[in-house]
Amino acid sequence: GYRRRYYRNSLRLLREAVQAWAGESPPIDFVVQLGDSIDGQNARRGEAESALRQVLGVLGQLSVPVHHAWGNHELYNLSRARLARSGLYSRAAAGSAGPADRECHAYHCSPAPRLRLVVLDTYDISTLGVEPGSPRYEESLRVLREKNHNDDLNSPEGLKEPHFVAFNGGFSQAQLDWFDEVLKFSDENQEKVIVTAHVPIHPSASNGVCLAWNYEAALAVVHSHQSVVCVLAGHLHDGAYCLDSHGVHHLTLEGVIETPPDSNAFGTVYVYEDKMVLKGRGRIPDRVMHF
């Protein structure tokens, strides 16, 4: 409630990004949308569906696939079941390349030879977007209340582990096991893997609060394989970056919602055999990430 947000301007910035990507040479292969494509305020106003239509309408002008991570704001507006029937369910295009749970929005695909993209669902365990009283809700609430004794479960006040708040979420064991199998395949086939998720999974690519509940478990999977080169995340509007002890780049991108009208917050990544080169726009700085 104390940071300036530019709601009406955000759609204009998205249009600018789409126009810039459409004019790229060589042409881009795909776009990654890292979550919170619509804002939680829409739920109170009954405008979730119309807001989503507007955003997807702009992204739909692209002639390439758009891979969506689900964020907390999507889940404030729409249930997981509804999201699985929406234009944000980019897992559908990947066919059966995800966990057995069809509502878990995790999947993988290979957009180029020896390159794999993995989209993770950082709200697989969450109290958001699920029916109160359902088994998924009750289990998620138990995990959250074990670590957070505040009346306001969105408050990290006084917590030993401040990332255990309701606006974050975590990974089920089933998703982690599936992720492990995908990375085994990539190791065996000498692929490079780019992981995308809404919530960061490394403390140094976070502010200590915006972090997946069981990030250590996800990091353990990443670090037990050779194939992951980069983890891209959203959620933390200020952005962050670190190169971890295993040589994996963790890049958290700045948020459009807190970007002034005269700037922007998007970028284009060029992938080479030995590095990724980010050409940032507006608030997002250029970066070279060597493998």
Side-chain angles (χ1 to χ4, degrees):
Y2 62 92
R3 304 254 309 227
R4 186 181 293 271
R5 292 187 170 181
Y6 302 89
Y7 292 95
R8 285 177 292 279
N9 189 60
S10 294
L11 202 59
R12 185 178 68 76
L13 296 190
L14 177 61
R15 286 192 190 101
E16 278 182 18
V18 165
Q19 284 169 2
W21 286 325
E24 289 274 358
S25 181
I28 61 168
D29 291 295
F30 60 93
V31 166
V32 171
Q33 188 276 110
L34 292 164
D36 291 354
S37 56
I38 57 176
D39 193 84
Q41 297 287 350
N42 290 298
R44 298 177 202 174
R45 299 163 61 93
E47 294 174 356
E49 298 283 355
S50 63
L52 185 57
R53 271 197 305 275
Q54 287 184 72
V55 171
L56 290 176
V58 177
L59 287 169
Q61 293 164 18
L62 290 160
S63 58
V64 297
V66 180
H67 297 280
H68 298 279
W70 289 356
N72 47 313
H73 283 261
E74 279 91 0
L75 293 162
Y76 294 147
N77 280 283
L78 303 163
S79 68
R80 296 184 71 84
R82 173 67 189 90
L83 284 170
R85 301 191 311 274
S86 77
L88 292 174
Y89 190 67
S90 45
R91 173 179 167 173
S96 60
D101 176 5
R102 297 293 299 174
E103 282 186 16
C104 176
H105 197 243
Y107 65 93
H108 65 95
C109 60
S110 178
R114 293 179 57 227
L115 178 69
R116 189 155 302 277
L117 179 73
V118 176
V119 178
L120 294 180
D121 186 342
T122 47
Y123 291 91
D124 195 8
I125 300 175
S126 171
T127 55
L128 305 178
V130 285
E131 198 63 42
S134 66
R136 193 197 287 258
Y137 180 89
E138 291 302 326
E139 172 59 15
S140 303
L141 188 62
R142 184 191 65 74
V143 170
L144 185 55
R145 285 211 180 277
E146 233 171 57
K147 304 284 189 175
N148 188 332
H149 306 294
N150 293 329
D151 292 335
D152 176 5
L153 289 172
N154 273 326
S155 171
E157 194 66 40
L159 299 186
K160 198 171 164 186
E161 296 173 278
H163 61 289
F164 277 96
V165 285
F167 58 77
N168 295 330
F171 304 97
S172 66
Q173 191 56 51
Q175 186 182 174
L176 292 169
D177 291 345
W178 165 85
F179 185 34
D180 188 48
E181 287 300 318
V182 173
L183 296 188
K184 269 186 204 162
F185 175 89
S186 290
D187 285 352
E188 287 161 10
N189 290 276
Q190 297 184 304
E191 294 180 330
K192 300 278 194 292
V193 177
I194 298 169
V195 176
T196 72
H198 181 63
V199 185
I201 63 168
H202 198 290
S204 299
S206 162
N207 59 354
V209 176
C210 293
L211 196 57
W213 289 349
N214 54 341
Y215 70 88
E216 302 101 327
L219 268 183
V221 174
V222 169
H223 291 160
S224 64
H225 297 278
Q226 300 299 310
S227 43
V228 178
V229 293
C230 183
V231 180
L232 299 172
H235 201 43
L236 176 63
H237 297 177
D238 288 338
Y241 167 80
C242 79
L243 177 63
D244 76 18
S245 57
H246 288 67
V248 178
H249 300 273
H250 294 262
L251 179 61
T252 303
L253 279 297
E254 286 77 357
V256 172
I257 191 73
E258 290 181 16
T259 300
D262 60 350
S263 185
N264 210 321
F266 71 97
T268 304
V269 173
Y270 303 86
V271 183
Y272 300 90
E273 282 287 324
D274 60 341
K275 63 181 178 289
M276 287 167 62
V277 177
L278 167 64
K279 171 66 182 159
R281 316 291 173 89
R283 295 171 66 207
I284 295 179
D286 294 349
R287 197 178 292 279
V288 178
M289 294 172 280
H290 293 277
F291 303 153

